[in-house]
Amino acid sequence: MSPMSGAPGSSRYEVDHSITPEGARVAPRIHDDACVTAFLQPTNYQVSTNGPYLETGCFAPPSGH
């Protein structure tokens, strides 16, 4: 089994390529002062831009923090 194929029955890998699971949140850092955050679900998605947070990187800190 190739390392990219994942474990048997793994929901993350199918047909030797990565699959982003439903409800996934992603937040790549674009530059020192910019991030793009997104989530995806079967029925909708959202993408936004923001700056990095001191404690949590590109993800917003939990409410009530």
Side-chain angles (χ1 to χ4, degrees), residues 32-60:
D32 289 342
D33 59 353
C35 294
V36 174
T37 56
F39 77 86
L40 61 114
Q41 296 178 358
T43 58
N44 66 341
Y45 63 92
Q46 178 179 342
V47 177
S48 60
T49 59
N50 60 6
Y53 297 93
L54 182 61
E55 297 172 341
T56 58
C58 289
F59 289 110

Side-chain angles (χ1 to χ4, degrees), residues 11-14 18-26 39-42:
S11 61
R12 182 174 169 144
Y13 296 96
E14 294 177 8
S18 180
I19 302 295
T20 303
E22 296 175 3
R25 292 177 38 189
V26 295
F39 77 86
L40 61 114
Q41 296 178 358

